[in-house]
Amino acid sequence: RKEVEQDPGPFNVPEGATVAFNCTYSNSASQSFFWYRQDCRKEPKLLMSVYSSGNEDGRFTAQLNRASQYISLLIRDSKLSDSATYLCVVTLTGNQFYFGTGTSLTVIP
Amino acid sequence: GAVVSQHPSRVICKSGTSVKIECRSLDFQATTMFWYRQFPKKSLMLMATSNEGSKATYEQGVEKDKFLINHASLTLSTLTVTSAHPEDSSFYICSARPNPRASSYNEQFFGPGTRLTVL
């Protein structure tokens, strides 16, 4: 079983739509959670950390559900520039980072 | 802050040659650096974890004699692809993790990647 699983998509949504991604993780001892964004042929860049209390950054909201072992990312009022692959990352102890396969989003004019 | 550079950004080489890729943390010390490779439309695959001053830890299936990693200082790690073949063509990305005293210790900061094409 993979440590982190994501629906690869692709998600094709119109501008202005709200879109949500989920990511599940298998190890209940996982400590830290992140969403990264990766543009085509570029390196991943941190979008936001995910906390149990949930956190919001502008149009982006991240949630963590430890009981069900999933994290989510909600994007409101989608922009064309949001088109990218979104990676969820889960860490265990030490240097154990686990990446999901990424969810592809295309925002259509 | 937390900038990671990689050099070169792109390299094309003949089969059988060796290629060295450098990864530098520019404004922080990184006791740990990671090397990934990524094929088109695929996820990042961790190749090895590099700790300053010690031998790298390779993931299963990654040949340590083919992918030589050196982490001689707190700001520099190198990956050398030895005797490269066309199947080694890929996007190689490094990342760096700040030292344990840093507030961003749990994050990874990625370099811009190196696109290797072996003819």
Side-chain angles (χ1 to χ4, degrees), chain B residues 8-68:
Chain B
S9 59
R10 187 179 184 100
V11 58
I12 301 172
C13 69
K14 292 181 179 179
S15 186
T17 59
S18 293
V19 176
K20 180 188 278 189
I21 303 170
E22 291 187 350
C23 178
R24 293 180 186 272
S25 56
L26 297 185
D27 51 0
F28 65 100
Q29 292 184 333
T31 49
T32 304
M33 290 184 171
F34 303 88
W35 286 97
Y36 298 85
R37 66 188 296 182
Q38 187 175 32
F39 293 105
K41 298 188 179 182
K42 298 291 184 183
S43 182
L44 291 168
M45 288 178 50
L46 179 65
M47 298 175 67
T49 301
S50 166
N51 290 298
E52 184 267 337
S54 63
K55 290 182 179 180
T57 302
Y58 289 81
E59 295 299 300
Q60 193 172 11
V62 178
E63 299 175 57
K64 62 180 181 180
D65 293 330
K66 180 168 182 62
F67 299 99
L68 301 177

Side-chain angles (χ1 to χ4, degrees), chain A residues 45-65:
Chain A
K45 292 190 176 177
L46 180 66
L47 181 64
M48 56 200 308
S49 303
V50 189
Y51 307 112
S52 296
S53 55
N55 47 309
E56 187 173 314
D57 183 2
R59 298 182 292 108
F60 298 84
T61 301
Q63 295 274 359
L64 165 63
N65 186 316

Side-chain angles (χ1 to χ4, degrees), chain A residues 82-102:
Chain A
D82 294 333
S83 298
T85 296
Y86 292 83
L87 304 165
C88 78
V89 179
V90 173
T91 72
L92 288 172
T93 59
N95 289 319
Q96 295 172 293
F97 287 79
Y98 296 97
F99 284 78
T101 52

Side-chain angles (χ1 to χ4, degrees), chain A residues 70-92:
Chain A
Y70 76 83
I71 64 174
S72 65
L73 177 68
L74 181 76
I75 305 175
R76 291 181 296 277
D77 188 23
S78 300
K79 310 290 185 191
L80 297 178
S81 57
D82 294 333
S83 298
T85 296
Y86 292 83
L87 304 165
C88 78
V89 179
V90 173
T91 72
L92 288 172

